[in-house]
């Protein structure tokens, strides 16, 4: 490019990239065709006269995020850098803070937000800085009713306080000893009133566990014989007390009769279901749940994302179709 061409290209690039003018407006100003403007802008990029940088915060991996979204057909996928000292830990602590920011984007005025049990969800609630006015309801009982004040119940209250909306917690354990006890609790007036909001939920946040000690609160709440029984059915993942095999099909449905939780069919009807889960120990479980069609968006980390991107892409894309692998 000669000096005249270079000066003209720089001027056009400034108008287009910095001042936001259209190619037609630039063409009129310089007395050339819009096709000439397009060629000049293209040449400016090729000759390194203009450099375009896409910057995201250092802890976010934009390339993996987009690849993961496309791989599973998700609406949103956000991949966070795995802290060096948490490579083997499930749900690195920074996932909750990023999920809090994403939830602030997803929730609109008048939505009904549902929060399931999960350590990462509790972290997310504590990190919330903004949330549109909404009603907040608890979607599952708590892992240990004795920790309710610092667990799921408190997460619901915290989110409601940030949004300025109503809170509807569930004062009940998630897993009961038998189906009769669970049914009695579900019929208790306060619990029934909270569960009455399940059909109104428009945005839900869930966590995912793999079927091993310390990585699934449901696994940890059962007896050893019960754990082995469900493992024998091929359980690869757990979400809100629903069990899934590696293909995303639900197994061990009898466990749901003993639980205080939102039903899978209701969860599938919620427009936006965000899962928070990461770490290599949860990678296979995340893959299984994404194949179930129950989740539409995901916040995870690079350790899990690398595993997920190596897995065969599901077809059809369950997050877009909300398809049930078990069929109708």
């Amino acid at each position: 490019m000669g000096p005249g061409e270079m000066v003209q290209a720089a001027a056009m690039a400034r108008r287009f990239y910095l001042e936001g003018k259209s190619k037609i407006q630039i063409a009129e100003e310089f007395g050339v065709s819009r096709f000439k403007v397009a060629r000049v802008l293209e040449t400016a990029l090729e000759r390194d006269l203009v450099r375009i940088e896409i910057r995201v915060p250092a802890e976010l991996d934009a390339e993996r995020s987009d690849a993961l979204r496309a791989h599973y057909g998700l609406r949103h996928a956000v991949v966070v850098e795995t802290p060096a000292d948490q490579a083997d830990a499930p749900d690195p602590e920074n996932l909750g803070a990023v999920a809090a920011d994403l939830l602030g984007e997803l929730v609109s005025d008048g939505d009904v937000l549902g929060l399931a049990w999960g350590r990462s969800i509790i972290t997310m609630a504590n990190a919330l800085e903004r949330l549109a006015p909404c009603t907040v309801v608890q979607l599952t009982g708590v892992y240990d009713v004795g920790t309710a004040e610092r667990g799921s119940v408190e997460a619901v209250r915290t989110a409601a306080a940030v949004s300025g909306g109503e809170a509807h917690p569930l004062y009940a354990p998630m897993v009961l000893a038998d189906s009769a006890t669970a049914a009695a609790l579900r019929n208790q007036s306060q619990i029934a009133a909270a569960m009455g909001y399940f059909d109104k939920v428009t945005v839900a946040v869930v966590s995912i566990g793999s079927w091993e000690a310390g990585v699934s609160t449901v696994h940890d709440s059962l007896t050893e014989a019960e754990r082995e029984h469900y493992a024998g059915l091929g359980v690869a993942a757990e979400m809100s007390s629903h069990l899934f095999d590696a293909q995303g099909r639900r197994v061990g449905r009898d466990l749901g009769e003993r639980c205080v939780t939102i039903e899978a069919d209701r969860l599938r009807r919620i427009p936006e279901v965000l899962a928070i889960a990461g770490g290599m120990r949860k990678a296979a479980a995340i893959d299984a749940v994404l194949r179930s069609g129950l989740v539409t968006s995901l916040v995870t980390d690079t350790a899990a994302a690398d595993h997920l991107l190596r897995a065969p892409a599901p077809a059809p894309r369950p997050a877009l179709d909300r398809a049930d692998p078990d069929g109708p």
Side-chain angles (χ1 to χ4, degrees), residues 201-264:
V201 174
T202 51
V203 180
V205 186
V206 299
S207 63
I208 296 171
S210 56
W211 202 243
E212 59 177 300
V215 196
S216 165
T217 52
V218 172
H219 174 281
D220 293 348
S221 68
L222 301 178
T223 66
E224 186 60 36
E226 290 170 333
R227 295 169 190 164
E228 293 179 1
H229 165 70
Y230 291 116
L233 299 179
V235 174
E238 173 267 318
M239 179 182 69
S240 301
S241 80
H242 302 297
L243 309 181
F244 306 87
D245 68 11
Q247 300 305 312
R249 297 182 293 254
R250 290 182 58 209
V251 295
R253 298 189 183 211
D254 60 304
L255 180 62
E257 299 174 4
R258 296 170 46 190
C259 297
V260 176
T261 187
I262 185 170
E263 299 93 331

Side-chain angles (χ1 to χ4, degrees), residues 19 29-30 66 70 95 99 141 201 211 213 225 314:
E19 298 176 12
E29 179 182 346
F30 286 85
D66 187 55
L95 294 186
V201 174
W211 202 243

Side-chain angles (χ1 to χ4, degrees), residues 24 86 121 186 190 220 309:
I24 293 176
Q86 297 184 44
I121 295 174
R186 288 193 292 265
Q190 188 179 39
D220 293 348
L309 291 171

Side-chain angles (χ1 to χ4, degrees), residues 9 12-13 16-17 23 36-45:
M12 287 183 177
F16 186 73
Y17 291 109
K23 293 174 183 177
K36 168 72 171 178
V37 173
R39 288 196 298 272
V40 170
L41 292 175
E42 185 178 345
T43 301
L45 285 171

Side-chain angles (χ1 to χ4, degrees), residues 11-323:
M12 287 183 177
R14 177 175 294 279
R15 304 292 193 280
F16 186 73
Y17 291 109
L18 299 182
E19 298 176 12
K21 291 187 176 180
S22 70
K23 293 174 183 177
I24 293 176
Q25 290 174 315
I26 297 170
E28 291 175 351
E29 179 182 346
F30 286 85
V32 298
S33 72
R34 62 185 177 88
F35 302 105
K36 168 72 171 178
V37 173
R39 288 196 298 272
V40 170
L41 292 175
E42 185 178 345
T43 301
L45 285 171
E46 292 173 351
R47 301 293 179 87
D48 209 27
L49 188 62
V50 173
R51 296 181 182 180
I52 298 176
E53 292 184 330
I54 300 173
R55 294 184 177 182
V56 295
E59 70 270 17
L60 300 183
D61 192 310
E63 185 175 349
R64 283 186 176 94
S65 297
D66 187 55
L68 194 60
R69 178 201 56 76
H71 192 75
Y72 286 94
L74 295 164
R75 293 205 187 104
H76 304 277
V78 179
V79 177
V80 182
E81 288 289 343
T82 305
D85 60 345
Q86 297 184 44
D88 296 325
D91 296 340
E93 294 178 3
N94 55 348
L95 294 186
V98 173
D101 289 340
L102 177 58
L103 190 64
E105 298 177 30
L106 298 179
V107 174
S108 300
D109 192 350
D111 274 337
V112 176
L113 171 64
L115 301 181
W117 161 266
R119 296 182 184 92
S120 56
I121 295 174
I122 295 167
T123 303
M124 178 201 72
N126 290 333
L128 282 171
E129 295 182 354
R130 65 183 179 93
L131 198 61
C134 64
T135 298
V136 186
V137 60
Q138 192 171 325
L139 298 180
T140 67
V142 298
Y143 167 51
D144 179 355
V145 74
T147 65
E149 288 303 315
R150 59 182 185 275
S152 296
V153 170
E154 189 58 29
V156 168
R157 288 175 174 165
T158 299
V162 173
S163 75
E166 296 180 358
H168 297 276
L170 287 175
Y171 293 98
M174 182 160 53
V175 183
L176 283 302
D178 53 68
S179 58
T181 304
L185 268 179
R186 288 193 292 265
N187 288 328
Q188 195 270 338
S189 59
Q190 188 179 39
I191 294 173
M195 295 180 74
Y197 280 87
F198 285 178
D199 284 331
K200 303 175 184 178
V201 174
T202 51
V203 180
V205 186
V206 299
S207 63
I208 296 171
S210 56
W211 202 243
E212 59 177 300
V215 196
S216 165
T217 52
V218 172
H219 174 281
D220 293 348
S221 68
L222 301 178
T223 66
E224 186 60 36
E226 290 170 333
R227 295 169 190 164
E228 293 179 1
H229 165 70
Y230 291 116
L233 299 179
V235 174
E238 173 267 318
M239 179 182 69
S240 301
S241 80
H242 302 297
L243 309 181
F244 306 87
D245 68 11
Q247 300 305 312
R249 297 182 293 254
R250 290 182 58 209
V251 295
R253 298 189 183 211
D254 60 304
L255 180 62
E257 299 174 4
R258 296 170 46 190
C259 297
V260 176
T261 187
I262 185 170
E263 299 93 331
D265 290 341
R266 281 180 167 172
L267 197 60
R268 196 182 304 278
R269 293 195 294 268
I270 297 173
E272 182 71 69
V273 179
L274 169 65
I276 312 172
M280 274 302 301
R281 293 176 66 187
K282 285 192 175 183
I286 297 169
D287 176 66
V289 172
L290 292 181
R291 293 174 188 276
S292 74
L294 293 174
V295 169
T296 61
S297 298
L298 175 70
V299 172
T300 190
D301 68 335
T302 51
D306 286 342
H307 174 93
L308 294 169
L309 291 171
R310 289 193 297 268
R317 298 292 193 266
L320 292 178
D321 301 333
R322 309 306 294 274

